[in-house]
Amino acid sequence: MELLYTRPKTLIKPGSYYCPGCLHALAGKLIAEVIQEMGVQDDTLLIASVGCGGMFKRILDVDCASATHGRAAAAATGACRCAPEKLVFTYQGDGDLAAIGLAETLNAANRGENFVAILINNSTYGMTGGQMAPTTMIGQASTTTPGGRQAEREGYPMHMCEIIDQLTAPRFIARYSLDKPAEIRKAKAGIRHAFDIQRAHKGYSFVELMSNCPTNWGLSPLQSLEFMREKTLKEFPLGVFRDLEKEETL
Amino acid sequence: MAKQFMKGTEAIAEAAVRGGCRFFAGYPITPQNEIPEYMSRRLPEVGGVFVQGESEVSSVSMLFGAAAVGTRCMTSSSSPGMSLKSEGVSALAAGQLPAVIVNVSRGGPGVGSIQAAQMDYFQVTRAMGHGGHRLIVYAPSTVQEAVDLTYKAFEKADEYQAPMLVCPDGSIGAMMEAVELPPFRDAERKRLTTYASQCINPDKLIISTFHYTAEHSEGFNRLLEEMYEGWKQNEVMVEEYETEDAEVVVCAYGIVGRVAKDAVKQLRAEGIKAGLIRPITLFPFCTKSFEKLDYGKLKGILVAELSIPAQMIEDVELATKGRVPLESLTHSGGRFIITEEVYDRLKAMALGNTKEVK
């Protein structure tokens, strides 16, 4: 019988430490599959972060340097400059990447560092219990905006792909969603494309994955997917913002 | 090897390159800017990498990644910048990552002053960042010593897989002296082994500053404790000068130690039994040097430092345990302690008329 699907060897058993219905685990599986398909498990260095993203080192069977709050892009800079033979990528949540790590993120992108930055955007700080993130929706309740985020008081959701798209150096910038199979397939292809760019030493890629947080949103897994479709995916448009690889081949 | 005439900061940078440093990240701050400037042109010559970080925080975090892939690395800064770096230094210690940090220290607190000072003593000798981590802190008193200690710091960083600190005050960084440079060490990357790998994924290299269970967290902290206790036994460096029969002793480090030695020589020439204890490592501290003093003869110890309030005097208090009166001589903000001041204070102490001088 032909084997059509199996668990990637790059995924550590027993697997996810994430809450039921959390799409972090799916993101982990996609990345694990891409690493296995590329055959680079022993050459991969994950720069993990803190919070829910930090648990990635417990599910991906690769070398990992787990940076402190917001510093993944700086750590990745040091790693990719010194070890050009490695597949270096960061994995950070929205609070980590867009708030406390904004300076590191933008400056690494601006230098065109040769690593892939993966942002998992679920509009909240998951591990710490659901505080407001830079990506929290207007009106969305959080433990630090109990009546909902107000633009006059907390400003507007930050769109990281669009911000990074203002910089000259990045090679590939895209936003995908993990809410349904067709989008998941696109997300995996986008991750693979970014990893290929890194392996070819062509520079910086930014891949944003729209995700959920059933626990802190106070919704069931299915309801959280509905919330994404009705709210967050309307605020954060999907698509490829820049692909210099494609432009070069045209 | 022939000696060269070099500025302290540039000599430190060259010593690092010869010690195998192949990655440097830093951010501008006076009075250490010659180090990143030197590295920006020197490292590419030896196949190394220089990155100007967007901040102190980012620069030290770049070391986290460079060290993780086994590259010898360094960052430098000065006092206010060290506060910013402290987060990353704590992370290097927790991640078991070898790295060398240089603090060409200036006045404080806050932005303080850009002149040379020794006001970071508490910060560098206790825990620079959170969590009670320690560093071996090297305090050179000459440019040659700055070269030798920077070179040694890379060896010790590798040996202990931990961050090390070289802490010249701004005057050592700014002065030019003849130095003999050490030979080039190999600069091969090496694969690290970590406690976190054993806890999380023994088949892979895991650098983590976080532990998921109480047992692992305590186990790791016990490992650090054991290492720090070992440093107290094996890594203390000190210059003891004419202390065997001393009736008065001055304790001073860095540039002040050098000044104080001249005062001791002058007093000895006059028949006054003066001595010097010059800590070369600020941590681990030279506690044993104070055990060897003859407290039957000793009239007092003068602790001289470029810091107001005095800081090192607390370590001298811990080392002498009330057995002898201590006096403090301090300046800061760019004012220096000069030989005559040390001479006058020690002489008054020896003659028993301390109060008149004070």
Side-chain angles (χ1 to χ4, degrees):
Chain A
M1 196 185 291
E2 188 187 0
L3 181 64
L4 293 176
Y5 181 83
T6 187
R7 170 197 187 83
K9 292 188 177 65
T10 42
L11 215 48
I12 298 172
K13 291 178 181 178
S16 169
Y17 290 83
Y18 293 105
C19 302
C22 172
L23 295 173
H24 264 295
L26 177 60
K29 191 194 75 170
L30 295 183
I31 293 167
E33 285 176 350
V34 169
I35 290 169
Q36 176 156 308
E37 285 162 19
M38 292 173 74
V40 293
Q41 182 177 12
D42 293 336
D43 293 328
T44 298
L45 178 63
L46 159 68
I47 307 290
S49 53
V50 295
C52 298
M55 290 197 295
F56 241 48
K57 60 182 165 289
R58 302 173 85 188
I59 65 171
L60 280 188
D61 188 15
V62 296
D63 285 356
C64 170
S66 198
T68 51
H69 312 71
R71 313 300 171 226
T77 297
C80 76
R81 292 285 190 111
C82 294
E85 80 283 2
K86 287 196 183 298
L87 168 60
V88 178
F89 74 98
T90 59
Y91 185 85
Q92 294 172 275
D94 38 33
D96 189 44
L97 182 139
I100 196 169
L102 186 63
E104 286 80 359
T105 298
L106 291 185
N107 281 282
N110 192 48
R111 289 188 301 265
E113 297 292 349
N114 190 46
F115 69 87
V116 179
I118 297 179
L119 163 63
I120 191 107
N121 178 352
N122 62 3
S123 308
T124 191
Y125 285 80
M127 181 72 82
T128 47
Q131 295 80 10
M132 183 191 70
T135 45
T136 298
M137 306 289 290
I138 298 297
Q140 187 178 358
S142 75
T143 58
T144 49
T145 51
R149 180 178 187 164
Q150 290 181 26
E152 303 75 28
R153 195 176 55 197
E154 284 95 24
Y156 294 87
M158 283 173 72
H159 298 70
M160 289 309 300
C161 283
E162 289 85 339
I163 291 171
I164 288 169
D165 198 23
Q166 300 303 307
L167 304 172
T168 306
R171 299 286 301 178
F172 177 63
I173 304 166
R175 179 183 291 127
Y176 302 101
S177 174
L178 301 177
D179 72 305
K180 53 176 180 266
E183 297 301 325
I184 292 166
R185 290 168 70 91
K186 284 187 205 167
K188 184 179 168 184
I191 293 166
R192 173 67 193 255
H193 187 53
F195 281 16
D196 283 338
I197 289 170
Q198 199 279 344
R199 293 299 280 173
H201 300 103
K202 288 185 170 176
Y204 182 87
S205 294
F206 186 83
V207 177
E208 178 172 350
L209 303 174
M210 294 302 296
S211 183
N212 63 347
C213 185
T215 301
N216 288 303
W217 289 358
L219 300 173
S220 72
L222 284 178
Q223 286 172 331
S224 75
L225 298 181
E226 286 306 312
F227 183 86
M228 285 175 68
R229 289 162 196 153
E230 287 168 19
K231 302 282 187 183
T232 59
L233 295 181
K234 288 177 179 163
E235 176 68 32
F236 296 96
L238 304 181
V240 174
F241 291 78
R242 184 190 304 180
D243 186 356
L244 296 186
E245 300 305 298
K246 214 170 190 177
E247 286 171 22
E248 278 179 5
T249 55
L250 284 176
Chain B
M1 186 189 254
K3 287 196 172 185
Q4 300 182 42
F5 197 53
M6 290 187 85
K7 188 171 182 171
T9 40
E10 297 193 336
I12 287 169
E14 181 59 30
V17 171
R18 288 166 184 252
C21 176
R22 290 297 178 272
F23 183 84
F24 181 97
Y27 182 83
I29 185 171
T30 305
Q32 60 81 54
N33 294 311
E34 300 89 342
I35 297 178
E37 287 166 359
Y38 187 93
M39 286 305 211
S40 73
R41 57 180 188 268
R42 185 73 174 102
L43 277 175
E45 292 176 356
V46 294
V49 175
F50 167 85
V51 180
Q52 179 167 330
E54 59 272 15
S55 68
E56 302 285 8
V57 175
S58 180
S59 298
V60 71
S61 298
M62 289 178 191
L63 264 55
F64 191 90
V69 296
T71 301
R72 289 201 191 96
C73 55
M74 183 168 96
T75 185
S76 65
S77 189
S78 183
S79 308
M82 296 311 286
S83 293
L84 295 165
K85 284 204 197 296
S86 62
E87 167 202 304
V89 176
S90 173
L92 291 168
Q96 295 182 282
L97 292 173
V100 174
I101 324 295
V102 179
N103 176 12
V104 186
S105 64
R106 64 188 235 185
V111 178
S113 72
I114 61 169
Q115 283 80 19
Q118 298 178 322
M119 297 193 68
D120 303 337
Y121 188 89
F122 288 154
Q123 186 189 33
V124 300
T125 60
R126 269 52 190 177
M128 217 176 104
H130 63 281
H133 73 88
R134 313 301 288 262
L135 306 161
I136 299 180
V137 182
Y138 297 102
S141 69
T142 65
V143 176
Q144 182 66 59
E145 207 169 46
V147 164
D148 297 342
L149 293 174
T150 301
Y151 197 76
K152 187 185 182 81
F154 278 94
E155 292 173 358
K156 293 299 171 184
D158 279 359
E159 181 181 340
Y160 292 109
Q161 226 178 280
M164 300 286 144
L165 186 76
V166 181
C167 194
D169 60 74
S171 66
I172 299 293
M175 71 169 65
M176 292 188 80
E177 290 191 280
V179 292
E180 187 174 330
L181 294 166
F184 283 88
R185 286 178 69 205
D186 82 271
E188 294 301 306
R189 280 165 48 198
K190 69 167 190 178
R191 192 164 172 88
L192 306 176
T193 56
T194 68
Y195 181 86
S197 290
Q198 295 168 39
C199 300
I200 296 171
N201 186 353
D203 296 334
K204 294 290 184 295
L205 172 60
I206 305 294
I207 311 286
S208 178
T209 70
F210 180 82
H211 296 285
Y212 287 93
T213 70
E215 288 74 17
H216 288 161
S217 191
E218 177 162 309
F220 179 66
N221 289 337
R222 289 279 179 225
L223 200 70
L224 289 186
E225 178 186 47
E226 195 180 320
M227 179 170 74
Y228 299 151
E229 289 305 313
W231 290 356
K232 290 177 187 173
Q233 299 305 316
N234 304 315
E235 298 299 342
V236 173
M237 292 178 70
V238 60
E239 179 186 5
E240 297 168 1
Y241 180 73
E242 304 272 23
T243 52
E244 298 83 1
D245 62 343
E247 294 177 1
V248 290
V249 164
V250 56
C251 179
Y253 69 96
I255 189 70
V256 187
R258 192 167 167 180
V259 166
K261 191 172 181 178
D262 283 343
V264 169
K265 282 181 183 169
Q266 287 181 26
L267 290 163
R268 281 279 168 178
E270 294 176 21
I272 291 174
K273 290 180 176 171
L276 165 73
I277 294 176
R278 179 173 69 86
I280 298 172
T281 52
L282 303 184
F283 182 84
F285 192 67
C286 51
T287 307
K288 284 177 187 161
S289 298
F290 293 89
E291 287 303 319
K292 291 191 277 184
L293 297 174
D294 184 349
Y295 287 91
K297 289 181 184 166
L298 194 64
K299 292 176 178 172
I301 297 176
L302 177 68
V303 183
E305 40 185 332
L306 291 175
S307 173
I308 303 173
Q311 299 183 45
M312 185 173 66
I313 197 166
E314 294 194 4
D315 275 339
V316 180
E317 281 172 353
L318 285 169
T320 52
K321 301 186 183 79
R323 285 173 285 185
V324 67
L326 302 182
E327 287 187 35
S328 176
L329 170 58
T330 59
H331 284 306
S332 77
R335 290 192 64 196
F336 268 71
I337 290 168
I338 59 173
T339 309
E340 289 73 16
E341 286 180 288
V342 179
Y343 171 92
D344 288 345
R345 292 287 293 270
L346 286 180
K347 190 167 185 176
M349 194 185 276
L351 299 176
N353 51 358
T354 305
K355 283 173 188 168
E356 289 169 32
V357 178
K358 213 169 188 176

